[in-house]
Amino acid sequence: MLQVEGIHTFYGSSHILFGVSLTVSRGEIVCLLGRNGAGKSTTMKSIIGLTPPRQGVIKFKSEDIARAKPYIIARMGIGFVPDDRRVFFDLTVDENLEISERKIAGTDAWNRERVYEFFQPLKHIRSRKAGFLSGGEQQMLTIARALVTNPELLLLDEPTEGLAPIIVDMLEQRILALRDAGLTILLAEQNQKTALGLSDRGYILDNGVIKYHGTIKELQENEEIIRKYLLV
Amino acid sequence: MDFLTTVTSSGLIQQFLVGLSRTTILFVVASGLSLVLGVLRIPNVAHGSLYMLGAFLCYSFATLFGKNPIGFWVAIVMAPLGVALISLAAERGLFCRLYDREHLMLLLFTFALMLLCRDIVKMIWGAEYRSLAPPVVLQGSLSILDLPFPKYNFFLLSIGPFVALALWFLTQRTKIGKIARAAAVDRDMVSAVGINVSWVFASVFVIGCFLAGLGGALVAPTQNIAQGMDHTIIMESFLIVIAGGLGNVWGALLGALIFGLTDSMGILVWPQFSIVFPYAIVVIVLIFRPKGLLRATW
Ligand SMILES: Nc1ncnc2c1ncn2[C@@H]1O[C@H](COP(=O)(O)OP(=O)(O)OP(=O)(O)O)[C@@H](O)[C@H]1O
Ligand SMILES: [Mg+2]
């Protein structure tokens, strides 16, 4: 469903991604692992078009989206959940979802009601300003906000970062439920336990270069790789 | 302190009402500036030129429709719409390419537009000033506690709350208002949920410029319509917006009230020095609240 082929991404004049390639097939959860500053978020932002790559190809459902504007990419079916929980602080929970909602036909479409059923805690705080939510609630909201755009591929950037273990468990279980509901997920994680527990395949990114790729089982067995690229 | 004793309570009320009608104009113009500043992050120095343009257009339309009693009302609607149309062209042609530029660049760019506007106005309307009489129903004065108060100022007073209400509704209750508030803080995320920020920005820009034109049209019957009115208003509007909190429309209201009222009441306290009061108040506000009275969106 998604093919990233040799992308080079820059922030101004600093070169961050060096020929990153990866693929995600329909129905998979693929994780992108790597230390702080490895380039996981930059890869995500390159895909959604916020930091378009200067070189390389990004194909989504066989169309090249590497030069497309973020709103076009989002409308094609990619949902983006950024790493720093960028909810629209000034708006209420419900307004966050209202402006993001893109209605599609079909019974399995994500609308506000379905999202409130999926993330029950949000239902009770729907008229609260997003800026006043707890970290866990904000994270549910950023995922919910991506869901109401009815994406086929969800980019999740460190969804469990800095949250209490009980919330992390809940989110992990919700992410699996999303996959069961038919979504494809690309997950960036520093937390190996989360990433390995959820994903089918994984890529390891280090200093803007893909160093390893394989199934989760292969990755778990390859202690040398883990030591070299993931342990701090 | 003998001057204070000469001020009667009716004189006080009269000055208060004068201040409030001045506040209306300031609020209408400054809220537009603040909207553009808050959502698009453009410090539009040419905002004052649009105000001047609104006044001149109002004069021309009113003259065009001549003696017709509704001529003035047509003019007061058409003038800001004309300004809005011009700003739409400017947004689509120029500004939409510049959103990512640094603020200094935008400042210089809009400054250049201000100079350009000034020359265009001079070419079309000439260098001499114009004046416009209020419509017949609003001519003359009413007496308040035995002091005369122009009818037109009452009209201005009634416009203020209406504009404030419309802005409240627009920003708080409409979808585009909500999107604009989100985009003011995080335009990347707004586009990442599939919203074409560009048309949201265009609408907000046009609405902001419409308010400048409306302010100009409203002020036209109360003063000389002349070169240089762009100058004064843009300085005052920026001060109001900064004192109220950058990008905050309610801040613009608060700032306009403070500015307008100290301006008119100051005359009662110390006439020779009155022009300084509003500026002094802004300085005092900024000493205690450097980011303005209400929460800035910057
Ligand atoms: N806006 C920016 N401007 C310049 N450099 C940036 C910017 N954002 C990130 N970088 C740099 O790009 C590199 C990759 O950052 P990125 O955020 O993609 O890493 P990451 O793998 O997501 O790390 P983390 O685990 O901390 O989220 C880092 O060296 C970082 O300093
Ligand atoms: Mg990151």
Side-chain angles (χ1 to χ4, degrees):
Chain A
M1 170 169 342
L2 178 77
Q3 281 111 23
V4 177
E5 294 164 13
I7 59 168
H8 290 258
T9 301
F10 295 71
Y11 285 111
S13 60
S14 54
H15 198 164
I16 306 294
L17 297 185
F18 299 85
V20 168
S21 298
L22 56 89
T23 64
V24 184
S25 312
R26 200 173 280 277
E28 279 189 307
I29 298 184
V30 173
C31 67
L32 199 53
L33 290 156
R35 294 197 183 99
N36 256 329
K40 304 180 294 294
S41 300
T42 308
T43 306
M44 298 288 209
K45 286 195 266 175
S46 298
I47 296 171
I48 192 67
L50 290 175
T51 57
R54 285 209 195 144
Q55 260 183 64
V57 175
I58 302 176
K59 280 192 185 146
F60 178 62
K61 297 192 284 186
S62 345
E63 262 184 77
D64 188 0
I65 55 167
R67 310 282 174 282
K69 294 244 164 62
Y71 79 93
I72 300 280
I73 298 175
R75 288 179 190 179
M76 286 176 67
I78 299 185
F80 176 52
V81 178
D83 54 354
D84 32 13
R85 298 200 257 283
R86 283 150 64 178
V87 292
F88 302 132
F89 294 99
D90 221 25
L91 307 185
T92 65
V93 169
D94 205 51
E95 288 170 337
N96 266 266
L97 299 177
E98 179 194 350
I99 67 169
S100 312
E101 191 166 14
R102 194 165 46 257
K103 299 199 167 73
I104 59 163
T107 47
D108 58 346
W110 288 96
N111 53 29
R112 269 185 271 176
E113 286 319 308
R114 183 168 173 211
V115 158
Y116 285 132
E117 287 311 310
F118 191 76
F119 286 119
Q120 302 258 352
L122 289 183
K123 201 175 186 168
H124 311 294
I125 50 171
R126 55 197 288 173
S127 54
R128 198 176 300 169
K129 276 239 160 80
F132 297 140
L133 304 186
S134 70
E137 289 163 342
Q138 288 190 351
Q139 191 58 273
M140 283 185 259
L141 181 57
T142 49
I143 299 176
R145 184 180 61 185
L147 286 176
V148 289
T149 69
N150 280 296
E152 292 169 62
L153 170 69
L154 199 55
L155 307 175
L156 288 178
D157 197 349
E158 305 207 40
T160 62
E161 189 194 11
L163 298 176
I166 181 164
I167 310 269
V168 173
D169 286 347
M170 185 275 290
L171 283 173
E172 287 179 4
Q173 174 257 325
R174 295 286 78 185
I175 290 168
L176 288 174
L178 286 177
R179 199 252 318 263
D180 295 341
L183 264 92
T184 307
I185 293 168
L186 178 62
L187 172 73
E189 264 300 339
Q190 278 204 61
N191 180 344
Q192 273 178 63
K193 199 174 133 288
T194 300
L196 300 181
L198 293 175
S199 326
D200 305 305
R201 287 190 301 118
Y203 289 85
I204 292 180
L205 199 56
D206 190 53
N207 281 325
V209 178
I210 298 276
K211 294 289 187 181
Y212 180 87
H213 129 247
T215 64
I216 290 304
K217 196 153 166 295
E218 288 164 352
L219 190 60
Q220 275 166 331
E221 284 163 1
N222 198 333
E223 279 178 24
E224 192 201 322
I225 290 284
I226 292 192
R227 202 171 331 109
K228 202 158 158 202
Y229 298 119
L230 298 181
L231 296 184
V232 274
Chain B
M1 299 291 259
D2 56 323
F3 52 80
L4 271 183
T5 56
T6 64
V7 176
T8 60
S9 64
S10 56
L12 206 67
I13 289 174
Q14 190 190 33
Q15 272 316 105
F16 183 73
L17 289 176
V18 167
L20 275 187
S21 24
R22 178 94 189 108
T23 297
T24 302
I25 303 288
L26 291 173
F27 165 63
V28 169
V29 179
S31 61
L33 181 70
S34 190
L35 210 56
V36 172
L37 202 55
V39 178
L40 288 82
R41 316 238 140 190
I42 296 178
N44 187 8
V45 182
H47 196 75
S49 316
L50 297 173
Y51 163 86
M52 177 166 73
L53 201 61
F56 273 102
L57 279 178
C58 184
Y59 164 81
S60 288
F61 282 126
T63 330
L64 189 68
F65 297 107
K67 295 284 154 257
N68 196 326
I70 64 156
F72 176 83
W73 303 107
V74 173
I76 219 159
V77 174
M78 298 266 282
L81 284 180
V83 171
L85 208 65
I86 292 167
S87 67
L88 179 65
E91 201 280 340
R92 289 290 87 184
L94 299 169
F95 283 95
C96 71
R97 294 156 214 278
L98 298 171
Y99 292 139
D100 297 329
R101 300 302 175 88
E102 309 132 62
H103 299 136
L104 185 61
M105 250 285 296
L106 291 168
L107 205 66
L108 291 173
F109 175 70
T110 58
F111 187 73
L113 282 186
M114 181 186 91
L115 298 178
L116 192 71
C117 275
R118 181 171 296 179
D119 282 344
I120 290 173
V121 165
K122 203 179 281 176
M123 274 161 61
I124 298 177
W125 285 278
E128 65 277 19
Y129 69 82
R130 309 297 170 103
S131 55
L132 177 65
V136 182
V137 276
L138 294 180
Q139 279 169 8
S141 305
L142 293 174
S143 81
I144 300 216
L145 301 170
D146 295 333
L147 283 173
F149 190 72
K151 283 184 191 166
Y152 188 79
N153 285 31
F154 275 108
F155 166 65
L156 286 182
L157 284 181
S158 63
I159 289 283
F162 184 75
V163 170
L165 199 69
L167 274 176
W168 173 83
F169 186 81
L170 182 79
T171 55
Q172 304 297 314
R173 286 286 175 268
T174 66
K175 192 160 170 183
I176 180 161
K178 292 171 191 173
I179 294 175
R181 277 191 292 144
V185 186
D186 193 345
R187 58 176 86 160
D188 276 356
M189 251 342 281
V190 170
S191 63
V193 295
I195 296 166
N196 183 355
V197 195
S198 156
W199 72 261
V200 178
F201 280 7
S203 329
V204 171
F205 187 75
V206 169
I207 292 167
C209 295
F210 174 88
L211 289 169
L214 181 63
L218 287 173
V219 87
T222 69
Q223 65 171 62
N224 291 332
I225 306 164
Q227 309 283 328
M229 57 190 290
D230 52 345
H231 228 102
T232 330
I233 195 81
I234 194 64
M235 253 166 40
E236 292 173 344
S237 302
F238 264 115
L239 285 176
I240 286 167
V241 167
I242 292 167
L246 281 182
N248 189 318
V249 172
W250 308 119
L253 179 57
L254 197 59
L257 271 171
I258 293 172
F259 202 94
L261 289 179
T262 43
D263 193 20
S264 65
M265 303 306 262
I267 293 178
L268 298 178
V269 184
W270 195 353
Q272 304 89 322
F273 202 62
S274 68
I275 194 164
V276 179
F277 279 113
Y279 298 94
I281 284 281
V282 170
V283 170
I284 292 168
V285 164
L286 290 178
I287 288 172
F288 290 102
R289 295 193 60 108
K291 299 208 77 181
L293 289 166
L294 302 185
R295 194 167 52 89
T297 62
W298 276 52

